[in-house]
């Protein structure tokens, strides 16, 4: 596999994003997923790692948030993966993971992903945590005209995709509604450890934020 071709495809579909789902997010997810997978399985094959990198770089390219024509982008992906000499079952596995890994899709129905997909999903969720996660949350909030914080708007328990997308959100509430719970949704031992560390860091940030809000 030529990683440059995989990266060029990610650039093509993600470079214009300003909501925290740009090329660099894809690259970080690919690299982090690889690191976590190698921690748990040091003797994995090059082919498995290649598939994991494809899933990482491309995981947001056909997401509804970014993409208005997923059918067309999917066809292009298939062509490129065939050119890179992946088998049909491997191509199907990449597409299954891309179509089923998002947090909101798994709210109502839990999808069991193949093992490398579980590492990519963990890496993507970890990207919503820590310093990067804080930056991405406020970038997302800003680009969706969402308030930073409003004490009159209380955090909710969100159980459906529709509720998640349509409720009145503030970015600080998003930490209570989703981000502080993400560490409990990790699939893998390596993912759980780093998710826990980054969650502690975010708690410190929110504690400090609320102290400053109260004028301390
Ligand atoms: P997924 O793509 O897995 O369905 P989301 O679209 O919910 O997940 O989240 C992707 C990124 O956008 C995360 O970093 C998340 O924190 C951020 N995000 C999503 N919804 C909000 C929101 N209402 N406020 C702030 N950040 C958000
Ligand atoms: Ni993502």
């Amino acid at each position: 596999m030529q990683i440059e071709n995989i990266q060029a495809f990610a650039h093509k579909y993600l470079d214009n994003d300003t909501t925290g789902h740009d090329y660099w997010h894809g690259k970080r997810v690919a690299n982090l997923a690889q690191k976590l997978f190698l921690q748990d399985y040091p003797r994995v094959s090059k082919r498995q790692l290649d598939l994991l990198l494809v899933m990482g770089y491309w995981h947001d390219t056909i997401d509804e948030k970014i993409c208005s024509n997923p059918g067309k982008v999917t066809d292009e992906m298939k062509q490129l993966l065939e050119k890179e000499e992946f088998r049909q079952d491997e191509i199907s596995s990449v597409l299954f993971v891309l179509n089923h890994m998002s947090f909101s899709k798994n709210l109502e129905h839990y999808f069991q992903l193949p093992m490398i997909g579980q590492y990519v999903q963990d890496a993507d969720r970890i990207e919503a945590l820590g310093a990067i996660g804080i930056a991405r949350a406020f970038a997302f909030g800003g680009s969706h005209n969402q308030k930073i914080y409003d004490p009159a708007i209380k955090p909710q328990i969100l159980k459906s995709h529709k509720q998640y997308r349509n409720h009145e959100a503030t970015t600080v509430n998003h930490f209570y509604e989703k981000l502080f719970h993400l560490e409990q949704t990790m699939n893998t031992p390596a993912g759980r450890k780093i998710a826990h560390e980054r969650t502690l860091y975010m708690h410190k940030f929110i504690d400090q934020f609320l102290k400053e809000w109260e004028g301390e």
Side-chain angles (χ1 to χ4, degrees), residues 25 59-60 124:
H25 165 61
H59 77 276
D60 275 328
D124 188 32

Side-chain angles (χ1 to χ4, degrees), residues 21-160:
H21 304 86
D22 59 9
Y23 170 80
W24 301 105
H25 165 61
K27 186 180 175 76
R28 287 193 305 270
V29 167
N31 289 340
L32 180 59
Q34 174 168 254
K35 184 175 124 182
L36 298 176
F37 192 36
L38 287 172
Q39 275 171 20
D40 287 347
Y41 298 94
R43 294 160 63 91
V44 59
S45 73
K46 164 90 168 50
R47 192 143 183 118
Q48 284 285 93
L49 279 184
D50 279 353
L51 282 167
L52 171 145
L53 291 175
V54 171
M55 291 172 185
Y57 274 101
W58 290 3
H59 77 276
D60 275 328
T61 55
I62 50 173
D63 193 289
E64 60 178 18
K65 295 187 292 285
I66 307 282
C67 180
S68 55
N69 193 348
K72 176 181 157 282
V73 182
T74 301
D75 286 343
E76 213 179 309
M77 277 177 178
K78 283 184 192 158
Q79 275 176 22
L80 177 50
L81 292 176
E82 279 165 13
K83 233 166 78 191
E84 296 291 335
E85 297 182 346
F86 286 106
R87 296 188 311 266
Q88 288 307 316
D89 63 299
E90 292 171 327
I91 296 175
S92 302
S93 168
V94 169
L95 292 175
F96 179 82
V97 169
L98 267 46
N99 282 309
H100 296 92
M101 64 176 268
S102 94
F103 175 82
S104 41
K105 287 233 175 84
N106 280 275
L107 272 173
E108 284 153 89
H109 182 100
Y110 168 76
F111 295 102
Q112 173 78 33
L113 301 181
M115 194 166 65
I116 49 174
Q118 293 180 23
Y119 280 86
V120 176
Q121 188 179 52
D122 279 6
D124 188 32
R125 290 182 176 172
I126 289 167
E127 270 277 302
L129 306 178
I132 295 266
I134 294 168
R136 292 181 70 234
F138 286 97
F140 183 102
S143 68
H144 287 78
N145 296 322
Q146 180 174 289
K147 290 178 181 170
I148 294 175
Y149 179 51
D150 183 342
I153 304 173
K154 299 297 172 202
Q156 294 178 33
I157 298 168
L158 303 168
K159 291 207 169 127
S160 71

Side-chain angles (χ1 to χ4, degrees), residues 1 192 204:
M1 181 183 90
R192 249 187 304 283
K204 276 197 196 146

Side-chain angles (χ1 to χ4, degrees), residues 35 129-131 183 190-204:
K35 184 175 124 182
L129 306 178
E183 64 168 317
R192 249 187 304 283
K193 183 164 176 291
I194 182 163
H196 183 64
E197 289 160 9
R198 293 193 190 189
T199 303
L200 291 177
Y201 180 83
M202 281 195 319
H203 273 289
K204 276 197 196 146

